[in-house]
Amino acid sequence: MVSKIATENAAHPYVKWAGGKSQLLSQFQFCYPPELANGQITRYVEPFVGSGAVLFDVASRFALNDLIIIDRNPRLMLTYEVIQRDVEALIDRLEALQAQCWAADSEARRGLFYAIREAYNRRSASAVEQAAQLIFLNRTCFNGLYRVNSHGNFNVPMGRYRQPRIAHPDNLRNVHEVLKRVTLLVGDYHLAADYVNTETFIYCDPPYRPLTRTAYFTAYSDEAFTDQHQIELATFARSAGDAGARVMLSNADPHNIDPTDDFFDDLYHDFHIVRLPARRSINSRGNRRRPIHELVITNYPLPSAPSVSGEDTHDPA
């Protein structure tokens, strides 16, 4: 059954996230399993939750008994937990940081940013303070990236914003309402296996396979997600499907760079694949940018819909 939650009260991602799915939601909605709408699916599991764009979309559109989100980034999951349990304290702290940032001149803003980044990397503050630090850094750093070095320390430099919007109280309260009914887990996607049954929809948005050698710059943790990890994830997806779950995955399309690179077409040869146009572009130089496609991979047939028809699709033989 479709939820009655009003669109204006729907939650949205509270952090910027490289590879976030907000821009693709209108197309993703045609790729969700039909059992979501008719009530046969009662559980949603997202093992690489990131900013939660798909989580919040599904939670606002469908009536579900269980929602489970997992991420191996403990700092991100701590922030979800704070919003779930103590959102008003977080809002108060973010509003104070925003007022301090806006009142400062450029030199003072720079000092504030790097002081908070240093404090964040010490990991010694209260849970509310660490959550506020993460959101502050996300809203004021270069391009809203979340990147850590080999020691797990956040190392993105300050961005160029005069009055960055740091506190979003209405949305944080909407996120809080969603998270009241969400189970939060820290770890990798294998934790999802405990929640798989015939009424489960699993959406996996793993770290994307880099399209170029220089694309490795975005690291969400101090561990790389290699081709071998992609292969292991495909094994997990098949296992979940064998247990009766509907599984949907997304990834970067290697054909954007090399039309002969069939890594995912071969890896998921027995799944259904659609290539969706994304508004992201390759190359930081404006005169060299071009549109790209992203892959949606499912273990159930994809419908024919205006948002996906006409694109390059692949169905298993």
Side-chain angles (χ1 to χ4, degrees):
M1 297 186 307
V2 177
S3 172
K4 301 292 186 181
I5 297 175
T7 302
E8 61 268 20
N9 293 326
H12 303 284
Y14 62 89
V15 288
K16 304 175 185 178
W17 211 252
K21 294 297 171 289
S22 294
Q23 294 181 347
L24 288 171
L25 288 178
S26 62
Q27 298 174 81
F28 270 28
Q29 288 161 7
F30 289 103
C31 300
Y32 295 156
E35 292 87 353
L36 266 176
N38 64 25
Q40 290 179 263
I41 287 176
T42 62
R43 175 179 291 164
Y44 175 75
V45 183
E46 187 169 346
F48 303 87
V49 69
S51 66
V54 177
L55 163 72
F56 299 129
D57 185 56
V58 169
S60 69
R61 290 165 53 82
F62 305 101
L64 294 161
N65 297 334
D66 300 308
L67 299 106
I68 298 97
I69 61 173
I70 306 164
D71 203 283
R72 64 179 181 172
N73 183 331
R75 313 297 297 280
L76 175 67
M77 294 308 292
L78 175 64
T79 306
Y80 274 102
E81 182 178 350
V82 168
I83 297 173
Q84 183 187 62
R85 299 184 178 183
D86 206 359
V87 68
E88 294 302 327
L90 177 62
I91 289 171
D92 288 346
R93 183 61 182 131
L94 289 172
E95 288 180 335
L97 285 172
Q98 179 172 287
Q100 183 180 359
C101 181
W102 287 14
D105 60 24
S106 58
E107 184 176 350
R109 282 199 304 272
R110 180 178 178 84
L112 176 65
F113 175 88
Y114 286 104
I116 290 178
R117 193 179 78 168
E118 181 180 351
Y120 178 75
N121 287 332
R122 286 199 297 268
R123 302 172 175 82
S124 59
S126 68
V128 170
E129 184 64 20
Q130 289 187 57
Q133 290 166 351
L134 184 148
I135 293 173
F136 173 88
L137 292 170
N138 178 262
R139 291 287 171 177
T140 58
C141 74
F142 177 76
N143 277 358
L145 294 175
Y146 190 93
R147 183 187 64 195
V148 296
N149 60 22
S150 60
H151 300 290
N153 290 330
F154 183 83
N155 64 355
V156 183
M158 180 180 175
R160 297 182 179 180
Y161 308 101
R162 296 190 62 182
Q163 288 190 322
R165 182 79 182 277
I166 297 163
H168 293 76
D170 291 342
N171 186 56
L172 284 171
R173 291 185 180 105
N174 291 338
V175 171
H176 167 73
E177 289 301 317
V178 172
L179 294 180
K180 282 181 179 180
R181 51 197 179 98
V182 175
T183 299
L184 312 177
L185 300 173
V186 179
D188 71 14
Y189 62 88
H190 291 99
L191 294 176
D194 291 337
Y195 298 90
V196 171
N197 61 28
T198 58
E199 298 180 354
T200 301
F201 171 40
I202 302 177
Y203 169 59
C204 296
D205 183 36
Y208 275 14
R209 184 170 183 256
L211 294 174
T212 66
R213 290 183 179 180
T214 58
Y216 275 107
F217 78 96
T218 301
Y220 306 101
S221 76
D222 53 357
E223 299 178 13
F225 204 83
T226 65
D227 279 1
Q228 181 57 39
H229 289 113
Q230 299 285 0
I231 293 168
E232 292 168 1
L233 177 60
T235 299
F236 167 81
R238 288 187 177 87
S239 177
D242 290 343
R246 303 294 187 271
V247 183
M248 172 175 157
L249 308 97
S250 52
N251 219 298
D253 183 5
H255 289 182
N256 290 313
I257 298 297
D258 181 0
T260 67
D261 186 346
D262 291 329
F263 177 81
F264 287 113
D265 295 84
D266 293 338
L267 182 59
Y268 290 100
H269 62 90
D270 51 340
F271 281 56
H272 305 265
I273 300 175
V274 65
R275 289 176 159 86
L276 298 179
R279 279 179 275 179
R280 283 185 278 275
S281 298
I282 301 172
N283 207 304
S284 59
R285 298 183 182 180
N287 62 347
R288 295 186 182 180
R289 290 178 183 172
R290 62 182 184 276
I292 64 172
H293 288 81
E294 296 197 12
L295 300 179
V296 170
I297 304 163
T298 64
N299 70 340
Y300 50 87
L302 289 163
S304 176
S307 293
V308 297
S309 63
E311 299 303 325
D312 181 14
T313 59
H314 159 76
D315 286 320

